Amino acid sequence: MITQRFATVEPVFGNLRGNKRLHRFTLRSKAKVDGQWKLFCLMHNLEKLAHYGYVA
């Protein structure tokens, strides 16, 4: 039986707060904040792909 490691979400928020300096949103309105959050998430995921390599 193969056991999988328990994944937590906290390292993502730690990376965004500590390394990307996302302590607060710089825009106002829900739509703009949602767009800014999606950009930070996209940047985080692209960095993960670049670091670990993308294999299709």
Side-chain angles (χ1 to χ4, degrees):
M1 181 174 160
I2 298 174
T3 59
Q4 294 181 354
R5 241 171 37 175
F6 182 76
T8 60
V9 183
E10 287 85 7
V12 175
F13 294 118
N15 180 31
L16 290 175
R17 285 188 62 125
N19 299 334
K20 307 295 182 292
R21 297 187 179 122
L22 178 65
H23 297 287
R24 64 180 63 167
F25 293 102
T26 57
L27 303 172
R28 294 174 63 105
S29 88
K30 190 174 180 179
K32 290 179 183 179
V33 167
D34 185 55
Q36 188 177 9
W37 174 251
K38 288 178 182 176
L39 283 174
F40 271 101
C41 292
L42 177 69
M43 180 174 57
H44 174 79
N45 289 326
L46 286 175
E47 285 179 348
K48 281 174 50 176
L49 286 174
H51 183 264
Y52 294 113
Y54 175 70
V55 180

